[in-house]
Every structure is written in structure tokens, then in C-alpha cells.
Amino acid sequence: MIKIYTQIEQGEAWLKRYYGSLPIFACVLGFTETCLIPGISAAGLTPEDRKYTACADAEFLYYGAAHQPQYPLPPLTAGASPVLISRAVVEELKIPVYLFNAGLPLIPAVPLIDLGGTTARCLSTGAAMEIATVKHLLEQGLLWGDQLGAKHSQGYLILSECVVGGTTTALAILTGLGIDAAGKVNSSHPVCNHAQKWAVVQAGLENRHNFTDPLELVAAVGDPMQVVVAGMAIAASRRCGVLLAGGTQMLAVYALVQAIAQAYSLSWQPEAIIVGTTRWVAEDTTGATVDLALSLGKNNFSWGKITPPLLATQLSFANSRYPQLQAYEQGFVKEGVGAGAACLAAYLSQNWLQEQLLTAIEAQMTQLINSLSH
């Protein structure tokens, strides 16, 4: 039910260590104006829809389908939001959920921990955020990673994200850190829009190619989630296990963890951290996620050259009765809001396999459809 694609021994040791334990699920919400570029993302039909995606996902993750949302899930080109997968697991397994606002234009109607960040400007400006904001968000990430890690020292933390346009900011961060990432990232499109992403990234990095400080790189072309999760992962890894929940975006966060730890002499425990996603990401033929994970071990700078263990749930929707879920098998929607990591957690905690996962996710889908028809 889980496949390990890189660093197999470390991945197996991690799974063995946390088998039987229940995680804490943290989701860091952020926003980059990069997502307003027409066609850059499929997480919301129009640029206007994409302003609400994080709010809608946060509400659904926290309350589920029965709740009347202030921000309903946005329409997609095809498929259904991956938050259905995460919600199915956290609801059934009663996993505690913490939601963090790293920088949103609108505030979702959920209990939220505000980190005092800001939204990011489009990365093509090369001036996405103020450096003071980035430093503040790193501090907050370190603080909360330490707190949640202390609370859960025998278990592990799932660190997930919701940032529309985040695979493009991820490409910018990876490239700025000297990692060969062009053509390897994923997207919410069935066929990744590599050329469009690369053009945006090149515009953002045009003026600046030699970043000696990773926080300056985040300020130039990043988004507010990245530095928060990097800080959380660094601090939490000293106390408990960390499951970075996502594909391309979490590989960028992992690269940032190495760079920030190196640049600021922060201790962290690489063996405590894995990256977990879905097979739709890991095996996406229009990206190269496994190759990207391996590229982290050979960057052009001296940030440290560690390849993270990349794992993925083998969940399939091929036999789902819902076309919105079958769409995942055609490459529409692949991951988000910690969907892949939630499936890993269901396996580790309750030994859930394909059948139990599909049943729980379809139950969410049924509830959602019923709530929309009322």
C-alpha cells in the first residue's frame, strides 16, 4: 500500500518506527499572487476561484461535508479536491488538526493559528515578500515545530500545505538553491505546463542568481508556507518524526531545510524526516518527481547534499463509482492538503488498505454531493 522510491532503508526504518502510532496533522495555508496568472494552476477554474481555494480546503478539512461552508470548494476543470482524501482519514481516525495561516488574502471560517505573515506577490517580480516577514515566519515555524514536537515526542507530525501556484514557487526555490529542477516538477494539470512555469521562474530569478542566504531567496521568489514548514520540520525533527506531506512543494521545503540549517547553523535530524505523497505525483509521467528527489542529493552549492526518502500511497481510484475520483487516474488533480500523507497515516495507524481508504473517501464524496443538492 506504500511504495518507497528513494532512500529505501531510511524509509523502511521510519515506517517501522512509527507503525501503530497516530500523528498530529498540521496544515499551513498560504497565498502567492503567482496563482492569478491565467492557466498557471488547475486548482480552481478561474484566477478568481483560486483566491478562495485555501479557505475552502481549510473549512472542509476541519469540518467535513456536513458543515455549511462560508467558502465552498471551488469548481475544478475535472475531479474533486484532494482535501476529500485528507478529511476522510482525519475524521475516521480522529487525528488532531492544526491549521496555520502563513499569509492569506481572506480568512477561512475555522479555528486558525495566525502566524502574522503576508501573502506573496507574484514570484516573477523577484520581490515576493519582505525579508523581515520571511525571518518572522521562520521563527514562528521553529517555535510551533518545537511545541508540536514536544507534545508528540513518541509519534510523528504530518506537515501539509495549501498554496495554489505552489509548484511554481517550488520550482523557483529549487532552481535558486542550485538544484536542477526544470521539467521535473508536477502540477495540477494533466500535462504539466513546464514552459509556462519556467518562464515565470526565469523572470523572477533574472536579476538575482547568487543567493548566499536562503531566506533572501524565499523573499525574492517564494511563498509564505515554505519557510514556515521548513522551520517546523527543523525544530520538530529534533523531537519526533516528520512527514512532509506533498510532492514537488515538499521537496522544495526539504531543500530549504538543508539550506537554512546550514546557513544559520541550526541542528536537525535528517533521519526523522520523510516526504510522503500519492502515486499520481510520484509516477506522473509529465513530471519527474523521483528524479527531482534524487537531485536534492547533488545541488550546485554547499547546502548539504541529502536525498530525502520519498514515499507514496498506492491508492487508486480506477474502480471508484465517482467520475470525480476516477479523474485522478487521468491526471487531473494529484495531491494537496496532505492527501498522500493522510493515506500513509491510515495504513500506519489502522493498517488500512485500498478498500478501507476508498470506502471512506467515497463516503465523503457522497456527503459532499448530498450537501450540494440541498
Side-chain angles (χ1 to χ4, degrees), residues 105-331:
L106 303 152
I107 304 302
V110 285
L112 203 60
I113 297 158
D114 194 333
L115 300 176
T118 59
T119 60
R121 292 181 280 272
C122 180
L123 75 86
S124 63
T125 60
M129 289 176 285
E130 305 305 321
I131 187 73
T133 304
V134 175
K135 288 182 171 169
H136 170 76
L137 287 173
L138 175 63
E139 288 299 325
Q140 290 291 308
L142 290 164
L143 194 81
W144 280 100
D146 191 60
Q147 278 188 33
L148 293 177
K151 225 177 217 176
H152 214 50
S153 55
Q154 296 311 303
Y156 65 101
L157 286 187
I158 290 177
L159 298 180
S160 68
E161 57 68 39
C162 186
V163 181
V164 181
T167 56
T168 308
T169 50
L171 173 61
I173 293 295
L174 289 160
T175 305
L177 290 175
I179 292 155
D180 172 25
K184 295 179 187 175
V185 302
N186 304 98
S187 78
S188 46
H189 292 284
V191 175
C192 186
N193 48 335
H194 290 298
Q196 186 186 19
K197 287 181 188 299
W198 186 238
V200 175
V201 167
Q202 281 188 302
L205 289 173
E206 183 163 53
N207 319 326
R208 309 275 303 279
H209 264 300
N210 303 322
F211 286 94
T212 51
D213 182 341
L215 298 186
E216 284 182 9
L217 172 65
V218 175
V221 294
D223 67 56
M225 173 280 295
Q226 295 164 325
V227 69
V228 172
V229 178
M232 283 181 167
I234 288 169
S237 74
R238 302 167 190 156
R239 294 179 173 271
C240 69
V242 176
L243 171 44
L244 290 175
T248 302
Q249 286 172 268
M250 288 304 168
L251 290 174
V253 165
Y254 192 96
L256 265 184
V257 164
Q258 292 194 58
I260 291 169
Q262 180 95 19
Y264 289 87
S265 307
L266 301 172
S267 67
W268 67 296
Q269 301 298 324
E271 66 286 352
I273 304 180
I274 63 168
V275 178
T277 187
T278 63
R279 72 178 173 84
W280 301 300
V281 167
E283 298 175 12
D284 176 10
T285 53
T286 79
T289 317
V290 176
D291 191 25
L292 184 58
L294 295 170
S295 304
L296 265 59
K298 39 182 192 264
N299 64 54
N300 299 329
F301 296 130
S302 58
W303 299 123
K305 299 188 189 310
I306 304 173
T307 301
L310 176 70
L311 291 77
T313 171
Q314 299 301 291
L315 173 67
S316 166
F317 287 148
N319 299 324
S320 173
R321 63 178 193 268
Y322 287 112
Q324 296 94 320
L325 296 177
Q326 287 172 11
Y328 279 71
E329 301 298 333
Q330 282 97 56

Side-chain angles (χ1 to χ4, degrees), residues 2 13-22 156 344 346-352:
I2 295 177
W14 195 99
L15 290 174
K16 193 172 160 192
R17 174 157 186 195
Y18 297 108
Y19 192 78
S21 74
L22 206 59
Y156 65 101
L344 297 182
Y347 167 76
L348 283 174
S349 157
Q350 303 291 325
N351 210 16
W352 273 19

